[in-house]
Amino acid sequence: MSAHATPPVHHEEQRFRAPVRWSKPSSGTLVALGVWVVGLVLAGLVPLLLLGADPYESAAGGLIVTGLCFTLAGSLVMVLSAYLLYRKSGSIGAAILAFVPSFVFAVLGILMATMKVLYGQ
C-alpha cells in the first residue's frame, strides 16, 4: 500500500423523505370503537361484578344466567361494532383485532357459567 492511499468513499444517496402523516380516524370509526368498548364493559365487567372472579365460589342460578346473558350480549355488541369498524375503515386487520376479543369473551363466559354451575358450592 502506498502512503498516499485515499480512504474509501461511501456514496450515499440523499433522498427526500416526506413527513409522516398519521391518518385521522373518522367520526364513524370513533363511534365504532366506542361501541366496542361498551360491549367490552358489558361482556367483562358486569359479569365480574355479578359473579365474582373465583370460579369455585357459588352463585345463585339467576345470577349465573344473568351474567352469561350480559357476556353474550356484550360479545354480540363487540362483533357488530367490529363489523361496523370494518365497513368504515376498510381494514381487515382492525376487524380481526375487534372480532377476536369478542369470541374470547363469549367462550370465557360460557366456561365461567359452567364452572359456577358445576363446582360452585
Side-chain angles (χ1 to χ4, degrees):
M1 279 199 147
S2 71
H4 296 93
T6 59
V9 178
H10 296 290
H11 295 285
E12 294 182 22
E13 290 185 28
Q14 296 293 328
R15 296 183 0 179
F16 177 73
R17 289 189 177 182
V20 175
R21 293 184 183 160
W22 298 100
S23 61
K24 294 181 181 178
S26 67
S27 60
T29 303
L30 292 177
V31 167
L33 288 174
V35 171
W36 188 84
V37 169
V38 168
L40 182 67
V41 168
L42 283 175
L45 192 59
V46 173
L48 179 67
L49 295 175
L50 284 175
L51 300 173
D54 186 13
Y56 299 109
E57 185 181 307
S58 65
L63 281 179
I64 295 172
V65 171
T66 304
L68 181 61
C69 288
F70 270 107
T71 300
L72 296 178
S75 296
L76 183 62
V77 168
M78 289 167 68
V79 166
L80 293 176
S81 68
Y83 178 71
L84 178 65
L85 181 64
Y86 170 70
R87 296 293 293 181
K88 287 291 180 185
S89 69
S91 171
I92 192 65
I96 289 171
L97 286 175
F99 274 120
V100 170
S102 62
F103 290 116
V104 168
F105 267 102
V107 169
L108 287 177
I110 292 168
L111 287 175
M112 180 59 87
T114 303
M115 292 289 287
K116 289 282 187 180
V117 168
L118 293 178
Y119 298 113
Q121 298 162 1

